[in-house]
Amino acid sequence: MKFLFGDDTFSFETLRTTGFANYFGADLGEVLATSRQITDGDQASWHRAWKDTAGRVADLGEQSLAGGHRVTARENLLRASNYYRNAAAFVLDNPADNPEVAALYAAQIDTFAAAAALFDHPAEAVAIPYQDTTLPGYLFLVDDSGAPRPTIIYTSGYDSTSQECYFVLAVAAMRRGYNVLAFDGPGQGGALHLQKLVMRPDWEAVITPVVDFALTRPEIDPDRIAGFGYSLGGYLLARAAAFEHRLCALILNDGVHDLASGFADNMPPFLMDWMQQGRDEYAIPVLELLMSVSPQLSWAVRNGMWVFGVENYADLLRTAAKYTLDGVADQIVAPTLIMEGEHDTLLQGQPERVEKALTAAKTIRVTLTEAEGAGEHTHAGALARAHQVMFDWLDTV
């Protein structure tokens, strides 16, 4: 499903951003006006247009706040945060040390923090102990009663943040009586931008400290903690749940069995073989050629080098091979909802493979379709439909 752009990556990222309008993360007119300033496929114009819109909307939020208009300020600041995130989507030239990437991320978290201070429900910035440091995140609470409630731990994906969780899950969850604990793990959000922590495949080493932290909070019912995995988080959460059995239910949005095949599906078979054999001098030029004609593959590779902290394209694909449920999937015991988008070009066939691998867990796989507007990766643009499936299932479980 194309949305405003012919370029697959531009179309998807625009749909992703616009879909957050359900929860005050976008306004359709602003999306349309911004998109008119962008040349299809031109990443510099994307960055410039979304940054300009984000700055303008942030200024509106500050003006409303100065005038004592609390709700208007909150809604403007939420949109600005989402737009700043989107402005950085394709700024991938040495992102670890790029001052523009750092500035856009700082603007995203600052506008979100300013909005969160105006929420009608508690939204506490938290620091979760992890190894010799902490992981940043948010605890979104249904109310300030202190009553223990069922809680969902949110695991981000390949390019998402704990701030984005507010739109993806938290508002919908709180409306239904669930708290949400969102965090940036290694390779994600603040852990990547500010602490330079790169991603790891053994996500149980990350989730277990998060569950430990959750159990220290009286607002969280220790017997009703579920996990939600967003995009690549669908793999990370599933991997963690093979070892961390205190999660009582899992939602994989979407199901990811192994990351390497997601890359391999967009490349000729011999290319992965060459990289596994260390024939980088032949493999890398071919991969560069493929990236030059596939913006989606180019984005995935360039972003992955930063997220995984690798030096070259071949190392990225060898690292991706470590992100697999092979050998551990049968240890997952929590009831699991596997979400699938009919036309998910990033993870085609992966949810079905997860379903077949989860032999010990009671699983259900739900495919949302293009006909209902929900067939894209993570059901971008159709969050109301996706939330209906997720929360109706979770309420029952």
Side-chain angles (χ1 to χ4, degrees):
M1 180 169 64
K2 297 294 185 182
F3 183 61
L4 299 180
F5 295 100
D7 181 280
D8 286 342
T9 52
F10 277 33
S11 172
F12 174 77
E13 294 300 338
T14 305
L15 186 62
R16 172 183 176 180
T17 293
T18 308
F20 297 157
N22 275 21
Y23 306 111
F24 304 106
D27 208 4
L28 181 57
E30 288 170 348
V31 172
L32 294 172
T34 304
S35 296
R36 284 200 296 267
Q37 305 303 313
I38 298 171
T39 301
D40 201 354
D42 181 76
Q43 296 180 356
S45 66
W46 173 283
H47 165 226
R48 183 171 55 250
W50 280 110
K51 182 181 179 181
D52 287 348
T53 296
R56 178 179 61 80
V57 176
D59 286 344
L60 292 174
E62 293 298 331
Q63 292 168 24
S64 294
L65 186 59
H69 308 296
R70 182 184 181 92
V71 174
T72 309
R74 178 177 67 209
E75 293 178 358
N76 278 297
L77 291 165
L78 282 172
R79 298 201 313 280
S81 180
N82 184 31
Y83 297 157
Y84 276 125
R85 178 199 58 78
N86 201 28
F90 305 109
V91 186
L92 292 172
D93 292 331
N94 189 28
D97 298 304
N98 188 325
E100 180 65 6
V101 171
L104 290 171
Y105 180 70
Q108 178 198 164
I109 62 174
D110 288 348
T111 48
F112 185 84
L118 304 172
F119 287 164
D120 295 326
H121 58 82
E124 179 185 341
V126 297
I128 300 171
Y130 167 75
Q131 296 186 343
D132 58 352
T133 184
T134 59
L135 300 176
Y138 275 93
L139 178 58
F140 301 105
L141 298 174
V142 174
D143 56 35
D144 60 2
S145 68
R149 294 183 181 274
T151 300
I152 305 170
I153 292 176
Y154 174 95
T155 292
S156 294
Y158 200 53
D159 68 332
S160 51
T161 66
S162 57
Q163 290 76 27
E164 188 181 6
C165 167
Y166 185 75
F167 312 113
V168 172
L169 186 74
V171 179
M174 288 185 290
R175 287 177 178 176
R176 293 164 171 87
Y178 295 91
N179 300 324
V180 174
L181 175 59
F183 69 97
D184 292 323
Q188 302 169 332
L192 178 64
H193 283 266
L194 305 178
Q195 298 171 268
K196 310 299 184 184
L197 299 177
V198 298
M199 195 169 278
R200 56 189 298 172
D202 55 340
W203 205 249
E204 64 275 12
V206 180
I207 281 290
T208 290
V210 176
V211 175
D212 290 341
F213 173 81
L215 294 176
T216 69
R217 298 298 303 236
E219 308 95 333
I220 295 177
D221 184 337
D223 297 321
R224 292 189 293 170
I225 300 176
F228 175 92
Y230 182 54
S231 191
L232 182 60
Y235 159 77
L236 298 171
L237 176 64
R239 160 72 197 214
F243 302 92
E244 175 51 78
H245 293 162
R246 290 176 293 179
L247 298 172
C248 65
L250 310 175
I251 299 174
L252 310 181
N253 183 38
D254 294 318
V256 185
H257 184 274
D258 65 282
L259 183 58
S261 66
F263 283 104
D265 288 344
N266 293 286
M267 299 184 295
F270 67 83
L271 193 54
M272 289 296 288
D273 291 339
W274 282 356
M275 292 186 187
Q276 294 302 332
Q277 295 164 8
R279 302 172 68 182
D280 295 2
E281 69 274 22
Y282 303 110
I284 291 176
V286 175
L287 181 57
E288 290 174 335
L289 178 62
L290 293 173
M291 290 168 61
S292 71
V293 297
S294 173
Q296 181 173 287
L297 179 62
S298 177
W299 174 85
V301 170
R302 295 172 70 207
N303 188 68
M305 289 184 65
W306 178 32
V307 168
F308 295 139
V310 297
E311 297 297 324
N312 63 54
Y313 298 154
D315 283 341
L316 166 68
L317 296 181
R318 284 189 285 265
T319 299
K322 301 175 183 178
Y323 289 72
T324 176
L325 296 180
D326 282 341
V328 301
D330 60 352
Q331 299 175 50
I332 298 171
V333 297
T336 303
L337 170 63
I338 305 165
M339 301 292 287
E340 178 177 41
E342 180 184 22
H343 288 163
D344 187 340
T345 58
L346 297 173
L347 299 173
Q348 195 71 39
Q350 292 271 336
E352 183 178 6
R353 294 181 62 191
V354 174
E355 180 184 29
K356 291 179 178 178
L358 268 58
T359 55
K362 182 179 180 181
T363 63
I364 178 173
R365 174 168 58 96
V366 176
T367 303
L368 299 187
T369 66
E370 197 78 355
E372 57 189 332
E376 301 300 305
H377 178 58
T378 65
H379 319 291
L383 287 180
R385 174 71 179 112
H387 289 153
Q388 176 190 9
V389 173
M390 294 173 192
F391 288 107
D392 287 3
W393 175 83
L394 192 59
D395 287 346
T396 303
V397 171

